Amino acid sequence: MKKQTSLVTLGLLLATPALAGGAGAPVAKPAPACMSIAQIVASDPNFSTLATAVEAAGLTETLQGGSYTVFAPTNAAFAKLPSDTLAAVLNDQDMLKSILLYHVVPGKVTAKQVTGMTSGKTAEGSSFLVTVSDGKVMIDNATVTKADVVACNGIVHVIDTVLMPAPAVAEAPVAEAPVAEAPAAETPVAEAPAAETPVAEAPAAEEPVAQAAPEMPAAPPAVSVADIPALPLSGATINADAAAATTETTTTTDTTTATDTAATTDTTTDTAATDTAATDTATTDATTTDTATTATETVDTVITEAAADAADSAEMNTNSLYDVIVADDRFSTLRDLLSDAGLTDILMDNEYTIFAPSNEAFAAVDPETLALIASDPDTLQQVLLYHVVTGKMTAEQVAGVTQISSLEGSSLNVKKDGDTQMVGDAKVTGTVDTADNGVIYLIDKVLLPPP
């Protein structure tokens, strides 16, 4: 009995440290803490550029919580962007935030789910295109190189190219600006009666404004793509009336500026004549001189900086896509329309693939259809951007997909018909790869985006 009691006592003594978590106890190891998407990006050296961008855009806290799927570009993906473009994006928080959110999809989406999709709605608001070919998954023009990196609050898929949302059509309001300026041109007219009392020349200042008002052409009505006949575009460039309207608008602006200057000069002269205090006049002169000096210095600085930026840009792309289009006589109609749409600067910087209709392709379309498109800046930009794709795509890459997302936002159907590459209903008849920032594929028809 004593022996049995001793064994029980010994068992209790041995069990006590185990219950208390002492040495020799099988204490369970704490589960390793999972990392948030923000922590994964910050801790992986391959995402150092992305981490910098996320922090600059103020999205770190967002990616620490919630539930998201992120298509994460590597440092090599960012390195594909021209350095001046990358610097511009990193210094523009709104643009940077928009681009980064285009890589984010709300909710957890696994690689298996992605392969079953044709498009994905992003946190930026627009959608990217998903294609699967030869076992490769492509998001727009980027290839997924590693999938299903699991985070506490979502999933990360690694991609080899930075995704770019379709640019907002910002040029259209500029084209409407002359119409909006018509009331502004009347401002000097309203001031003219006040100037008539001391200055006899004031009525003369009204004449240029009066002449300018009739010259203001009304803006053409907005045209929907759905209203355009389902035909390929044709080749005539913008008609003479549109060019005349542009010239008249410019003349009106210049005349109004001249009138404002004259009115300002007269008012200043009147003030100086009325002012009887020599001290006040001297003070005004000194202030004017200081202001003029400061303005001159500011203008000089802006001009110098602009020249430096232009020089840097020239070093980056000495032979841009637009330069190639301008130099090739086969694209003279396309060149004029790109200029009228205000898209020339876009094609000088970032990397793009252009499916460029030849002059013959434009010439195959009814001139009235082209005039209808060319008369409305919004419609013209939509049609032209439907021919442009983000990134440099080789012939092999184009042949390996069935759809490509255009800058207009819609997707282009792509297929091989024997040895002929088709983009929509257009045939690719040639390739121009001499541009520094992209590739041009010559096509025999003009493409229209879906209504």
Side-chain angles (χ1 to χ4, degrees):
M1 183 67 181
K2 289 183 179 180
K3 184 177 181 180
Q4 187 176 7
T5 303
S6 299
L7 290 174
V8 172
T9 303
L10 179 61
L12 290 174
L13 290 174
L14 292 173
T16 300
L19 295 174
V27 179
K29 295 182 180 179
C34 64
M35 294 194 294
S36 67
I37 293 174
Q39 289 171 326
I40 289 175
V41 170
S43 62
D44 192 329
N46 288 320
F47 295 138
S48 59
T49 305
L50 177 60
T52 300
V54 167
E55 184 176 354
L59 294 176
T60 302
E61 186 174 348
T62 300
L63 296 181
Q64 285 177 344
S67 179
Y68 301 104
T69 298
V70 175
F71 295 89
T74 61
N75 294 342
F78 280 100
K80 293 181 181 180
L81 295 175
S83 59
D84 57 340
T85 300
L86 180 59
V89 169
L90 290 175
N91 287 309
D92 186 332
Q93 189 177 38
D94 291 339
M95 182 190 302
L96 179 61
K97 189 172 184 178
S98 175
I99 291 174
L100 292 179
L101 289 178
Y102 187 65
H103 294 72
V104 179
V105 174
K108 296 181 179 181
V109 185
T110 65
K112 184 177 181 180
Q113 290 173 315
V114 171
T115 57
M117 300 164 55
T118 57
S119 63
K121 185 66 176 291
T122 70
E124 179 265 345
S126 55
S127 298
F128 55 62
L129 188 68
V130 181
T131 55
V132 181
S133 178
D134 297 329
K136 294 191 302 183
V137 179
M138 296 193 70
I139 308 300
D140 281 351
N141 304 313
T143 300
V144 177
T145 58
K146 184 178 181 180
D148 291 340
V149 179
V150 179
C152 295
N153 61 326
I155 299 174
V156 176
H157 302 298
V158 184
I159 56 176
D160 65 353
T161 302
V162 177
L163 306 176
M164 301 294 284
V169 182
E171 306 293 336
V174 176
E176 297 173 3
V179 179
E181 287 175 4
E186 296 174 2
T187 304
V189 178
E191 294 175 0
E196 286 176 3
T197 304
V199 181
E201 291 82 349
E206 296 177 0
E207 294 179 3
V209 179
Q211 292 172 358
E215 293 177 0
M216 283 289 186
V223 181
S224 170
V225 173
D227 298 332
I228 301 171
L231 297 172
L233 285 177
S234 80
T237 54
I238 287 183
N239 56 34
D241 293 339
T246 304
T247 304
E248 289 174 4
T249 302
T250 304
T251 304
T252 302
T253 304
D254 292 344
T255 304
T256 304
T257 303
T259 304
D260 292 343
T261 304
T264 303
T265 303
D266 292 342
T267 304
T268 304
T269 304
D270 296 341
T271 303
T274 306
D275 195 349
T276 57
T279 302
D280 292 343
T281 302
T283 303
T284 302
D285 291 342
T287 303
T288 303
T289 302
D290 292 341
T291 304
T293 302
T294 303
T296 301
E297 292 174 351
T298 302
V299 170
D300 290 342
T301 302
V302 170
I303 292 174
T304 302
E305 292 176 352
D309 291 341
D312 291 342
S313 178
E315 289 179 5
M316 291 304 302
N317 291 318
T318 56
N319 194 38
S320 69
L321 286 165
Y322 184 67
D323 293 329
V324 172
I325 290 173
V326 169
D328 195 324
D329 292 337
R330 295 174 297 177
F331 302 130
S332 60
T333 303
L334 176 62
R335 174 199 63 206
D336 293 339
L337 292 176
L338 286 170
S339 178
D340 293 329
L343 297 177
T344 58
D345 289 344
I346 290 178
L347 300 183
M348 289 182 178
D349 294 325
N350 298 323
E351 292 187 349
Y352 296 110
T353 297
I354 302 176
F355 297 99
S358 63
N359 292 341
E360 289 76 12
F362 281 105
V365 184
D366 175 53
E368 292 183 3
T369 302
L370 180 65
L372 184 66
I373 294 172
S375 65
D376 181 69
D378 285 342
T379 303
L380 180 59
Q381 285 191 339
Q382 288 178 34
V383 170
L384 294 177
L385 290 176
Y386 188 58
H387 294 75
V388 183
V389 174
T390 301
K392 289 183 179 180
M393 293 193 71
T394 64
E396 291 75 15
Q397 288 175 319
V398 173
V401 297
T402 58
Q403 285 187 317
I404 305 175
S405 181
S406 72
L407 284 186
E408 179 268 341
S410 305
S411 60
L412 295 164
N413 293 321
V414 182
K415 66 178 181 179
K416 269 279 197 178
D417 186 5
D419 293 332
T420 304
Q421 179 67 58
M422 303 290 294
V423 180
D425 294 330
K427 296 178 182 178
V428 175
T429 59
T431 304
V432 182
D433 58 2
T434 56
D436 294 336
N437 63 322
V439 182
I440 298 173
Y441 293 99
L442 182 68
I443 58 175
D444 65 351
K445 288 185 180 179
V446 180
L447 308 170
L448 285 178

